[in-house]
Amino acid sequence: MKDQKTLSDHQFSRRDAVKYLASAGIVASTIVVGCGGGTDSASAAGAAALTVDWPDRSRLIPDASESITISFLNGSVVVATQTVARPSSASSTTVSFSGLVAGSLTLKAEAFPNADGTGTAQASASKSVTITSGVTSTLSITMNSTISSLSITPSSPSVEVGSTLQLVMTALDSNGAVVLVSSGNVTWTSLSTSVATVDSTGLVSGLSSGNAIIQVTESESGKTNSVSLTVTSTSTSCHLIPTETDGPYPLYSVFSNSSMIRTAVNETKTGVPLTIELTLVNVNGGCAVIPDAYVYIWHCDKDGNYSGYNGYEGQTFCRGIYKTDATGKVTFTTIYPGWYTGRITHVHFQVYLTTLSQTNVTATSQMAFPQDITTAVYNSTLYAAHGQNTSVTSFAQDNVFSDGTTYQMATMSGSIAAGYTAKLAVGINH
C-alpha cells in the first residue's frame, strides 16, 4: 500500500495521493444513536455523518475522480448509499446517513471519473465496521488505486533521427478496464538519453541511431512498464516520385481562393481521421529536404465524391494547399478517402517549387494505401454503407498503380479509433 494517509476528527478524506489518481481516505464519523428509549427499532439504529475532503484541483491529475460513492452493506445487501459529486468551489462536502441498523456492516467507498458516479472505479476500499447503539464510534478507511497494469502504445515504437513520436500510456484495472489514459501524474524516462529523450507528455525525440528503453511510471499505484524504441538513421537515398495523371477532378480554380491555403481540409466531411505528412527531398542534391514549396492535395470523401464536380460544384471539401516547413514537411489533416468506380483508394498531390499556378507544376503524383488498412476502414461504421471497392480489388487492376507502388505507398501508423497517419517521402528534381 503506497503512501497512505488517514485523517481523523470525523472526516472522509481523499488522501493526498489522490493528486496522482483517485485514492481517497474516509475518516469516520460520529455514529449517533436514535432518540428515545425502549427496545423499538428506532432506538437500535445509528446514524453517520462523514466529511469528504476535496484537495485543491490544481494538485490532481486531469482525469481525477469527480465523485465518490459511499455505501453501507449488510452482507451483500446495500442498506444505504450516496454519491458525492465534487463541488465547484467548496473544499469539503458533508454526507449524512441515518437509520443504520446497529451491528456489523461493511463500509465501502469508490472514486469515479464522472460526477454521477459512473465510469470505471479509479480507487476503492471496503472494511467491516460496527454500528453500536448508544455508543459514538470513530471509523476510518483508506482507498487505494485500482490500477493493475500499464500499457504503452505503440508497443514497438520506431522513430528516425531528428523526428518525434508520441507515446501514450493506458492504465488498466485487474479486469482489463481502462482506469486512466495518460495524465499529468505519470513519469516518462529514457534509459538511453544519448539515443532518444522523452518529455513529460511521452513525446520521444530521436537523437542517434540505436535502441532506447522508454519507461513510464504511474505514481499513485507505483506501476511501471517500458518499451524498446528503435531510432533509425535518416535515409541517405531517395527516388524520384512517379508522375501520374491529375484527372479527372483536379479543380485548379481553387488556386485563386486564399482560404484554400490550409492544413485542415475535410471541412464538414466525416470519416476515420487521417493525417497526411509529405516530406519533399531533392534527388539531385543528396536527398536534402526542400522547404517553402507549395503542395496541393485532393481526394474524394468517404462515399467517393469530389468537391467541385458531379453535384458538388462550388464546394471545396478534401482539398488544400500549404507550404513545406524548414524540414521539407507539409502536414494535412483530413479523413481516410473512399473510392469511386474504376479506381483503388488514393490521394492526389502536386508540388509547386515556384509560383502556385497550373503551368508551373513541378510534380504530379498519387499516394497509395496498404490494402489491409483500407479493408478495415471500409468495414467500419462510417464507411459500411459504401462498402468495399468491388470495381478495383488490387493494385494490379488499377490503371495508375498497376506499374507498382514502391515509391508511392504510404507508411501508416495508428488505428480506426484513434485515426491514422500516412507518411511519404516525395523525391523531386530540384
Side-chain angles (χ1 to χ4, degrees):
M1 189 173 294
K2 186 174 182 294
D3 192 27
Q4 296 181 358
K5 180 181 178 183
T6 302
L7 303 183
S8 57
D9 298 327
H10 315 303
Q11 287 190 327
F12 168 45
S13 173
R14 298 175 84 195
R15 59 188 183 155
D16 287 348
V18 172
K19 64 185 177 180
Y20 304 116
L21 174 61
S23 293
I26 300 178
V27 174
S29 58
T30 307
I31 306 299
V32 184
V33 299
C35 297
T39 59
D40 61 357
S41 60
S43 65
L50 302 96
T51 298
V52 180
D53 179 26
W54 304 95
D56 184 349
R57 180 179 292 277
S58 65
R59 297 163 54 201
L60 303 180
I61 57 176
D63 294 286
S65 301
E66 291 298 323
S67 65
I68 295 176
T69 296
I70 309 161
S71 304
F72 287 91
L73 293 84
N74 188 354
S76 60
V77 178
V78 176
V79 296
T81 184
Q82 290 191 51
T83 295
V84 185
R86 177 186 294 279
S88 58
S89 57
S91 60
S92 64
T93 309
T94 299
V95 190
S96 298
F97 289 87
S98 61
L100 296 175
V101 178
S104 179
L105 297 177
T106 298
L107 174 62
K108 182 178 180 181
E110 292 181 291
F112 293 98
N114 302 316
D116 61 355
T118 59
T120 300
Q122 297 177 320
S124 66
S126 63
K127 65 179 295 184
S128 178
V129 297
T130 300
I131 305 298
T132 304
S133 178
V135 176
T136 299
S137 302
T138 299
L139 314 174
S140 67
I141 187 170
T142 301
M143 300 175 71
N144 292 293
S145 168
T146 59
I147 293 175
S148 177
S149 63
L150 307 181
S151 173
I152 301 174
T153 54
S155 57
S156 299
S158 177
V159 64
E160 285 189 347
V161 173
S163 296
T164 60
L165 174 70
Q166 183 67 57
L167 297 179
V168 176
M169 180 220 73
T170 302
L172 308 173
D173 65 15
S174 59
N175 295 317
V178 175
V179 177
L180 186 70
V181 178
S182 289
S183 76
N185 188 45
V186 299
T187 302
W188 293 92
T189 306
S190 171
L191 303 185
S192 309
T193 55
S194 62
V195 176
T197 59
V198 60
D199 71 9
S200 60
T201 70
L203 184 67
V204 175
S205 298
L207 302 179
S208 63
S209 299
N211 293 311
I213 300 298
I214 305 297
Q215 179 176 284
V216 64
T217 301
E218 198 284 317
S219 301
E220 165 57 21
S221 65
K223 299 297 182 181
T224 297
N225 197 6
S226 62
V227 292
S228 178
L229 172 79
T230 300
V231 181
T232 59
S233 298
T234 304
S235 176
T236 56
S237 63
C238 52
H239 303 272
L240 188 67
I241 193 74
T243 298
E244 307 292 2
T245 179
D246 63 352
Y249 308 113
L251 198 64
Y252 291 112
S253 61
V254 298
F255 287 178
S256 61
N257 184 352
S258 61
S259 66
M260 296 303 295
I261 307 299
R262 60 187 185 177
T263 58
V265 305
N266 57 295
E267 295 184 4
T268 60
K269 293 294 182 177
T270 58
V272 172
L274 176 66
T275 298
I276 295 175
E277 181 184 294
L278 303 178
T279 301
L280 271 55
V281 292
N282 183 6
V283 297
N284 293 327
C287 299
V289 298
I290 303 175
D292 298 319
Y294 284 105
V295 177
Y296 172 35
I297 72 163
W298 68 98
H299 63 84
C300 62
D301 67 8
K302 66 180 178 63
D303 298 312
N305 303 307
Y306 277 87
S307 59
Y309 300 86
N310 301 329
Y312 295 93
E313 288 80 4
Q315 299 188 40
T316 58
F317 58 82
C318 300
R319 298 179 185 273
I321 305 163
Y322 213 73
K323 274 190 171 184
T324 56
D325 63 16
T327 67
K329 293 180 181 179
V330 62
T331 302
F332 297 95
T333 56
T334 183
I335 58 171
Y336 203 93
W339 58 273
Y340 58 94
T341 301
R343 282 304 314 277
I344 205 165
T345 306
H346 63 282
V347 169
H348 292 265
F349 63 89
Q350 289 183 326
V351 176
Y352 295 82
L353 295 181
T354 55
T355 308
L356 186 61
S357 123
Q358 184 179 354
T359 59
N360 288 323
V361 61
T362 302
T364 300
S365 194
Q366 298 179 27
M367 172 186 281
F369 296 87
Q371 278 292 75
D372 60 334
I373 292 179
T374 296
T375 298
V377 169
Y378 292 172
N379 279 333
S380 66
T381 303
L382 287 172
Y383 294 75
H386 196 50
Q388 299 295 328
N389 186 355
T390 58
S391 69
V392 178
T393 59
S394 69
F395 294 110
Q397 296 176 349
D398 186 74
N399 62 359
V400 170
F401 295 128
S402 58
D403 58 352
T405 60
T406 302
Y407 306 127
Q408 296 164 285
M409 181 62 68
T411 299
M412 304 292 292
S413 61
S415 66
I416 290 175
Y420 287 100
T421 296
K423 297 183 179 182
L424 184 67
V426 180
I428 304 293
N429 280 322
H430 185 33

